[in-house]
Amino acid sequence: MKKRKSIKWNTKCKLCLLPSLMGTAIFFVVPYLRVLYYSLIDNQFRRNFVGLDNYLETLKNEYFRLALINSVLIIVVAVPVLILLALLISLILSFGIRRLRSLRTAFILPMLIPTASVVLVWRTIFTDTATPLPIYLLFIWKNIGICIILLTAAFTSIDETIYEAARLDGADAFKAHTRITVPMIMPTVLFSVLLSIVNSFKVFKESYLFFGSNYPPDHSYTLQYYMNNNFLKLDYQSLATSAVLTSIIVFVIVIVGIIIQRRWDT
Amino acid sequence: MKKPLSLILSLICISFSLGGCQGDNGNAMENDDIIVRESFIFDDIELESKGIINSFTIMGDNRAALLFMDNNTQKSCFGIYESNKPVTEKEIAAGYSDICYDKEEGCFYAFNSIEKEIHKMDNSFSYVSTVTKEPEAFEIRGMDVIDGSLYYIYCTKNTYDPNVQLEVLEESTGYCDFGEAAYCVDIGSGEKSPLEIEKPICQYASGGKLYYYTFSGESYYLNEYDRENNRLVSLYTDRDMSYISGFAVHSDTLYYIKWGDSVISKKDMKSGDAFYIPLDIVVCKGSDFKSYKSEPIILNRADMSIRKLSEAKYAESESFKFSGESLVIGYFYKYSMPIDTKKLNEDIGITASVYEYPIYDNEMKLKLLACDSDVDIYIFTTNRRIGRDIRRMGCYEPLANEAIIDELDDCFDWVREYSANDNGEIWCMPISANQQALFYVPENLERLGIDISELKSFESFWAALEKIRMDGRYGFFSRATQEFGEAMTASYNINYSFFDYDTDIFRNMFTRVYSDWLLWSNPAEGSAENPLFNNMNSSKKNISTENAAVIFDNLKLFRNDVTDCEKWCAMGIPNLTDSEEKYPVSIEFAIINPASKKKEAAEAYLGHIAQNRLKYRSTTPFFYKDLSTYDGCVDKSAAYFEGLYELSENSQVYDAFLEIKEDYLDDVAAYQKGEMTIDEYIANIERISEMTENE
């Protein structure tokens, strides 16, 4: 009886998932496979298989490496700052003045404002283009909202009774936070980190509009620029190869994040 | 396209002589089938009296009878052509204009346009009798003997009188009703009867049958005449077919010449396929429909030679094969298309619509890279770096069309060099060329004390501009500083692949051209204080020798803006260095989309454009070596023509390396606003060049 019910339930689940899976397949999987195919041929019209030659060429390219380094720098510099700031603000919102909680949704506004409008303002504020600071700050400003929302939700979802129990057991505030709060929000923090890392790879239009050129200063030349410029030069193979390499990097980061998260859970 | 029939019958009512019938002997090679005999192949007739051949008819026995007008005496002459023998001529006084031969009776029938009679004549062209009188007839539009009956068409109005032409012209269709009527005369009884054919235009005979060219509704029709039932059977129709000046039928294939064409069209009635047989000569008539079974022969009016038409010799135009096909051309703005698609659509039946790309090449690049088959032909310009990228990445279909290759052979070397890739494949077909030139008024320069040689090098050119400015009488006009600066940059390093910006020469040119930008008026900001250096986009369009001494522009725009073009001379832009340089030119070129599903038709389309040189090009590209190519398109007597031609001889395509607006000019604006020094500009532009080349 249970088995039959399980089969019926599984079938129903699959049917419900089918539209979403089909959409994913059509709009993500199939195009990805196509890009992968293009990265293995010399030209989309001649279609001669060249194996990994395109990959080797791309990895040897100094500008690809420059773009990769700059993209990684955003992860290494901007993402931690983003998460720390988001944590701080979330703490204030969750444990500070309760009235401020209603302002939570206001932090989403940066994500809603058109990038072009933001960049106009940014360019009047930041006139010095000698460093990538304006871009990092813009990235942080745009993405902090979602992190705050997630972290605040995580904070407020912790049951008060646990803290009460800890107090009864003699735990001070420090211990309560380190032994309760941190472990309980860690999955959300990890998720926010992963989300921010993925979003960091999408930093392009802000930078493009800010510098107004296909060739920004070296410090802001990211993978997106590399790909965009190769598209403009009709070099689809370089574009496809770098896109696949980027996806592999993101995939590895996400897998590592998931592994850490699972280990943390256990 | 309306084609008045004004000159229809100035000379010839012609038809091919093709017959499907065996000769009397039953053996094609041995009977009196003139066509197949070797002696008739490429024979040139030597006629003592040179003139225009009005008509000729195949007599059989390897002979043709000619009726021509002697240019000297203005008298009609009959001549018998027999292979390897001089033409036997007989001069006659009367104005005979058309002739046909009755092989069975062994006599001729000829129309006397003075007496308005059809006469029977013997083999020596002596009058025998009057077959019929046609007092209304102005001229005969075809006359043939079939089975003892004489069939003919005549018109009653003067086809050469422009007033008559206007009077009878149907504006909407181009058809002219010259009062044509078709008749049949039984030779034995002399009984004449009209044929019930509505709006006949011309008559032909071939293969034992009669054919009529008629007009009905809004189209022209080629019909076979069913003699038994006295009705027409339509074979082929074309709204814009116009007059047919030559016609024959052989083995289910029609051969005909559309008036005004220099090609013979061939249509397979079974499959419907149609072809062009391109030919420089127009002619032929043969009415001995019983004797021919081989290829048509043609009589060249111009040099009075009879030649056998061999299909192997004359390549068939591919374009007609694809008549009915529709193509899409990708271009950024259809109203400035370098190809006259409307005219082409009408002429060859391949319709092409233009798909506009307002964002220009980025959108086109996307479609190209996505292997989108929507667009069949892309037209790009070398002003953008896309040409370079297409060639480098192989995003094109190699062109093998003979007409395109022939055209490239007729062009200057730089055109062919650009069109061929490293493997020698033709990857694009140049459509237009945009040479920037200095147009100048010699008298004005003389008044200013400027020698023309001073305009040749940059330093002296700039000094000459100062003289013009100080004088105040005349101006130096340019469409935009950017274009002038860009052209100057390109002229310095024609390869344009890695321009060395960090040189004194470039700094010198850059600071002068772009620092003085305030002198270049912007129409949005009102007129400049100094009328010198006026932007030609402003209202100052009526530039003339009265107010200008030197203009920097290309021919097309120059002709638009200047009121007295013919008084101007042209020369190349000043060189930045003293060394011999080539002048920069940008071209618009067409490529076939490799993903197109109509590549053959697209190539045929481009081939037809190439074959006809300037006919279908909206602007006159100066890239042909042969000066006669420009006849009718450019005023070769204009003073600037010679200078432009010389400039074209020494041109080279500058294949944009950087995207001018995005990579080059943005920083120019920053420099002009004082936000960037020239050293910073040069450092940045060199960095961009390096990255563009190597990323």
Side-chain angles (χ1 to χ4, degrees):
Chain A
M1 182 92 166
K2 264 192 184 172
K3 207 176 173 181
R4 257 189 276 140
K5 206 176 171 182
S6 155
I7 288 169
K8 210 173 163 187
W9 177 247
N10 276 341
T11 310
K12 276 185 188 172
C13 288
K14 282 172 190 169
L15 281 171
C16 288
L17 282 171
L18 197 60
S20 181
L21 284 173
M22 273 180 64
T24 306
I26 292 168
F27 295 109
F28 288 97
V29 175
V30 169
Y32 185 83
L33 291 173
R34 193 165 176 180
V35 166
L36 187 63
Y37 167 67
Y38 281 144
S39 71
L40 299 171
I41 56 175
D42 64 340
N43 176 297
Q44 60 267 38
F45 304 109
R46 314 267 182 270
R47 304 191 178 192
N48 298 318
F49 184 73
V50 293
L52 297 177
D53 285 355
N54 290 333
Y55 288 93
L56 290 171
E57 216 174 291
T58 301
L59 287 168
K60 282 185 207 167
N61 188 298
E62 60 176 299
Y63 291 103
F64 175 79
R65 292 201 297 269
L66 171 67
L68 185 61
I69 289 168
N70 286 332
S71 297
V72 169
L73 275 174
I74 295 180
I75 299 171
V76 167
V77 173
V79 170
V81 172
L82 167 68
I83 299 299
L84 284 170
L85 263 176
L87 271 171
L88 187 63
I89 296 171
S90 301
L91 275 169
I92 294 169
L93 288 176
S94 304
F95 301 107
I97 307 166
R98 287 187 183 271
R99 263 179 286 171
L100 286 178
R101 280 194 196 173
S102 60
L103 294 176
R104 197 166 46 183
T105 49
F107 286 99
I108 282 292
L109 282 176
M111 289 185 81
L112 302 175
I113 298 173
T115 307
S117 312
V118 175
V119 169
L120 274 175
V121 175
W122 228 250
R123 285 177 82 167
T124 56
I125 300 171
F126 300 98
T127 51
D128 181 20
T129 57
T131 67
L133 185 66
I135 304 303
Y136 288 4
L137 289 174
L138 185 52
F139 166 74
I140 291 167
W141 183 79
K142 278 209 92 135
N143 290 280
I144 202 168
I146 190 71
C147 295
I148 290 171
I149 298 282
L150 290 169
L151 290 168
T152 310
F155 280 127
T156 53
S157 69
I158 301 172
D159 198 345
E160 287 283 337
T161 55
I162 302 175
Y163 289 109
E164 240 180 79
R167 269 201 302 275
L168 287 171
D169 286 339
D172 57 16
F174 178 77
K175 269 192 182 167
H177 282 302
T178 52
R179 299 293 173 90
I180 299 170
T181 312
V182 170
M184 293 201 78
I185 66 163
M186 196 49 72
T188 308
V189 169
L190 277 170
F191 178 75
S192 300
V193 168
L194 283 176
L195 188 66
S196 302
I197 290 172
V198 170
N199 285 338
S200 74
F201 279 99
K202 295 182 194 170
V203 171
F204 173 64
K205 63 177 184 243
E206 297 87 349
S207 181
Y208 186 87
L209 290 169
F210 186 83
F211 292 108
S213 168
N214 290 326
Y215 298 96
D218 283 355
H219 54 67
S220 293
Y221 182 79
T222 57
L223 285 169
Q224 294 282 1
Y225 274 103
Y226 180 84
M227 288 190 268
N228 185 62
N229 290 344
N230 276 298
F231 161 72
L232 292 174
K233 288 191 288 186
L234 301 182
D235 193 345
Y236 207 77
Q237 275 53 55
S238 291
L239 167 61
T241 310
S242 51
V244 172
L245 286 171
T246 305
S247 71
I248 291 171
I249 293 166
V250 172
F251 183 71
V252 166
I253 292 172
V254 168
I255 292 292
V256 166
I258 291 172
I259 291 170
I260 292 171
Q261 188 168 4
R262 284 192 183 163
R263 283 200 180 162
W264 184 269
D265 285 343
T266 56
Chain B
M1 190 192 301
K2 297 189 176 66
K3 294 181 185 165
L5 304 178
S6 52
L7 294 177
I8 304 166
L9 300 175
S10 57
L11 294 167
I12 295 115
C13 176
I14 319 161
S15 65
F16 282 95
S17 51
L18 276 186
C21 309
Q22 291 282 343
D24 293 337
N25 296 343
N27 185 325
M29 292 304 290
E30 292 177 358
N31 68 1
D32 45 3
D33 184 338
I34 291 173
I35 297 170
V36 296
R37 288 183 63 106
E38 290 296 318
S39 61
F40 234 65
I41 297 174
F42 302 123
D43 270 348
D44 287 336
I45 303 173
E46 289 294 324
L47 282 168
E48 286 180 13
S49 309
K50 291 293 180 184
I52 293 172
I53 297 176
N54 286 341
S55 178
F56 81 91
T57 183
I58 305 300
M59 299 169 64
D61 296 326
N62 212 23
R63 294 178 300 156
L66 314 175
L67 172 61
F68 59 95
M69 177 76 74
D70 189 315
N71 283 340
N72 297 323
T73 63
Q74 293 297 305
K75 288 183 179 171
S76 304
C77 289
F78 282 113
I80 300 285
Y81 170 83
E82 202 166 353
S83 60
N84 298 325
K85 292 179 186 174
V87 173
T88 311
E89 295 180 25
K90 177 175 179 176
E91 189 179 280
I92 48 178
Y96 287 96
S97 63
D98 202 83
I99 188 172
C100 70
Y101 186 69
D102 184 349
K103 196 163 171 265
E104 286 178 4
E105 292 286 324
C107 63
F108 293 99
Y109 294 91
F111 176 68
N112 188 311
S113 57
I114 296 173
E115 294 176 37
K116 308 287 185 188
E117 293 173 351
I118 296 177
H119 294 168
K120 181 177 177 181
M121 306 175 98
D122 63 21
N123 271 343
S124 61
F125 301 114
S126 297
Y127 171 82
V128 173
S129 62
T130 300
V131 176
T132 184
K133 294 185 184 191
E134 295 291 353
E136 300 292 315
F138 174 75
E139 62 184 1
I140 292 286
R141 295 269 192 87
M143 190 164 65
D144 302 282
V145 176
I146 298 181
D147 290 339
S149 294
L150 178 71
Y151 293 84
Y152 58 92
I153 284 184
Y154 65 76
C155 68
T156 58
K157 294 179 184 168
N158 186 346
T159 55
Y160 312 113
D161 186 341
N163 292 325
V164 173
Q165 290 165 20
L166 281 171
E167 199 182 295
V168 303
L169 174 69
E170 263 181 32
E171 283 284 342
S172 56
T173 61
Y175 169 68
C176 291
D177 184 354
F178 288 104
E180 292 91 344
Y183 289 90
C184 169
V185 175
D186 185 298
I187 293 169
S189 63
E191 189 183 325
K192 184 170 92 175
S193 53
L195 299 179
E196 288 170 13
I197 297 172
E198 191 188 338
K199 291 187 179 175
I201 298 172
C202 205
Q203 172 189 298
Y204 317 96
S206 187
K209 296 178 185 175
L210 271 177
Y211 298 86
Y212 287 93
Y213 187 55
T214 64
F215 182 81
S216 177
E218 292 185 348
S219 291
Y220 293 89
Y221 291 84
L222 195 59
N223 312 277
E224 183 182 324
Y225 181 61
D226 180 353
R227 286 185 290 130
E228 280 183 26
N229 298 308
N230 192 21
R231 66 186 186 99
L232 295 177
V233 177
S234 173
L235 296 177
Y236 179 61
T237 181
D238 189 332
R239 187 192 166 93
D240 202 32
M241 201 161 155
S242 188
Y243 179 68
I244 292 180
S245 57
F247 175 82
V249 175
H250 171 59
S251 298
D252 290 324
T253 302
L254 299 184
Y255 294 83
Y256 58 91
I257 300 172
K258 278 163 59 171
W259 186 83
D261 272 0
S262 57
V263 298
I264 296 169
S265 303
K266 170 183 159 186
K267 187 171 174 69
D268 187 323
M269 297 309 295
K270 279 187 186 163
S271 67
D273 290 340
F275 309 90
Y276 274 143
I277 304 168
L279 214 58
D280 290 334
I281 50 184
V282 178
V283 194
C284 79
K285 173 165 183 171
S287 59
D288 191 338
F289 43 86
K290 284 184 180 174
S291 298
Y292 301 100
K293 65 175 297 237
S294 186
E295 297 140 356
I297 64 167
I298 48 183
L299 180 66
N300 186 329
R301 284 180 313 194
D303 61 15
M304 305 180 85
S305 61
I306 291 182
R307 292 162 189 265
K308 175 184 169 185
L309 175 64
S310 164
E311 288 171 33
K313 176 176 167 57
Y314 302 104
E316 293 177 354
S317 170
E318 291 280 295
S319 55
F320 204 31
K321 207 194 302 190
F322 298 99
S323 176
E325 199 68 86
S326 66
L327 301 174
V328 176
I329 301 178
Y331 190 66
F332 76 99
Y333 186 49
K334 65 181 176 187
Y335 294 107
S336 67
M337 267 282 284
I339 297 172
D340 189 341
T341 50
K342 186 169 180 288
K343 200 190 282 185
L344 259 171
N345 293 356
E346 287 164 351
D347 285 357
I348 64 171
I350 298 178
T351 37
S353 54
V354 180
Y355 191 108
E356 278 189 356
Y357 291 92
I359 310 177
Y360 198 46
D361 52 17
N362 278 349
E363 207 177 327
M364 283 206 266
K365 281 177 196 176
L366 195 59
K367 285 187 91 71
L368 195 57
L369 285 177
C371 301
D372 199 324
S373 60
D374 283 355
V375 175
D376 304 295
I377 296 171
Y378 285 103
I379 298 180
F380 294 109
T381 171
T382 55
N383 269 339
R384 307 275 295 172
R385 66 166 288 147
I386 191 156
R388 184 186 173 85
D389 291 332
I390 286 173
R391 190 168 67 249
R392 186 171 59 91
M393 298 310 300
C395 300
Y396 56 83
E397 188 68 23
L399 301 171
N401 184 287
E402 276 189 32
I404 295 174
I405 294 168
D406 281 346
E407 186 190 42
L408 288 172
D409 286 339
D410 286 347
C411 293
F412 293 120
D413 290 343
W414 53 266
V415 182
R416 194 185 170 98
E417 275 164 23
Y418 185 78
S419 308
N421 64 15
D422 294 337
N423 300 328
E425 286 177 327
I426 305 298
W427 67 276
C428 76
M429 183 180 120
I431 303 289
S432 70
N434 186 16
Q435 278 103 338
Q436 300 285 27
L438 285 182
F439 295 89
Y440 62 94
V441 186
E443 292 81 15
N444 292 357
L445 291 181
E446 210 178 299
R447 283 192 203 107
L448 293 164
I450 298 171
D451 187 64
I452 290 163
S453 61
E454 292 179 51
L455 302 182
K456 288 191 178 168
S457 81
F458 182 73
E459 284 296 331
S460 56
F461 167 77
W462 208 257
L465 289 189
E466 277 300 310
K467 278 191 204 173
I468 295 173
R469 175 185 162 157
M470 293 307 292
D471 184 86
R473 279 182 289 179
Y474 307 109
F476 165 68
F477 289 82
S478 171
R479 193 155 290 276
T481 51
Q482 292 89 339
E483 289 184 15
F484 185 66
E486 181 193 334
M488 295 300 298
T489 308
S491 75
Y492 178 40
N493 186 334
I494 293 302
N495 285 335
Y496 215 51
S497 60
F498 201 79
F499 184 81
D500 191 358
Y501 294 92
D502 193 9
T503 60
D504 289 339
I505 291 171
F506 175 76
R507 285 166 188 272
N508 193 12
M509 184 278 292
F510 186 90
T511 49
R512 287 192 196 190
V513 171
Y514 292 109
S515 294
D516 290 336
W517 73 289
L518 285 171
L519 296 173
W520 305 77
S521 66
N522 185 333
E525 295 169 0
S527 318
E529 287 176 10
N530 193 330
L532 200 63
F533 305 120
N534 273 298
N535 187 318
M536 287 161 80
N537 282 332
S538 72
S539 59
K540 292 178 176 54
K541 271 209 152 183
N542 293 325
I543 300 165
S544 71
T545 52
E546 301 293 317
N547 58 19
V550 183
I551 296 173
F552 169 74
D553 216 335
N554 62 56
L555 179 64
K556 179 183 175 185
L557 299 171
F558 167 75
R559 287 200 285 194
N560 275 344
D561 294 333
V562 176
T563 53
D564 50 0
C565 297
E566 65 284 353
K567 296 180 187 172
W568 293 72
C569 296
M571 63 187 286
I573 62 173
N575 281 331
L576 276 181
T577 65
D578 290 332
S579 60
E580 286 290 319
E581 294 285 357
K582 299 248 184 195
Y583 297 108
V585 58
S586 66
I587 64 172
E588 284 180 308
F589 59 90
I591 60 158
I592 292 178
N593 179 8
S596 165
K597 294 194 171 106
K598 300 176 188 173
K599 283 186 256 197
E600 284 185 16
E603 192 165 354
Y605 190 83
L606 293 177
H608 196 78
I609 297 169
Q611 189 174 29
N612 289 276
R613 299 297 187 266
L614 293 173
K615 184 177 177 184
Y616 300 111
R617 287 172 156 100
S618 311
T619 57
T620 307
F622 270 78
F623 51 50
Y624 298 106
K625 289 186 274 200
D626 185 358
L627 283 166
S628 65
T629 311
Y630 302 99
D631 290 343
C633 297
V634 183
D635 181 5
K636 294 200 301 192
S637 64
Y640 61 76
F641 179 81
E642 192 183 326
L644 277 180
Y645 184 81
E646 263 179 44
L647 156 63
S648 307
E649 272 185 304
N650 296 300
S651 290
Q652 186 159 341
V653 177
Y654 70 87
D655 208 359
F657 178 67
L658 299 176
E659 297 294 27
I660 291 299
K661 279 198 181 135
E662 293 91 335
D663 303 327
Y664 183 83
L665 288 179
D666 276 356
D667 287 345
V668 167
Y671 167 78
Q672 289 170 337
K673 288 176 192 169
E675 293 166 5
M676 197 180 243
T677 64
I678 186 160
D679 289 327
E680 286 168 346
Y681 175 85
I682 287 171
N684 195 39
I685 202 78
E686 287 200 325
R687 186 182 70 93
I688 291 173
S689 299
E690 164 76 20
M691 290 178 84
T692 303
E693 178 73 7
N694 296 313
E695 73 179 344

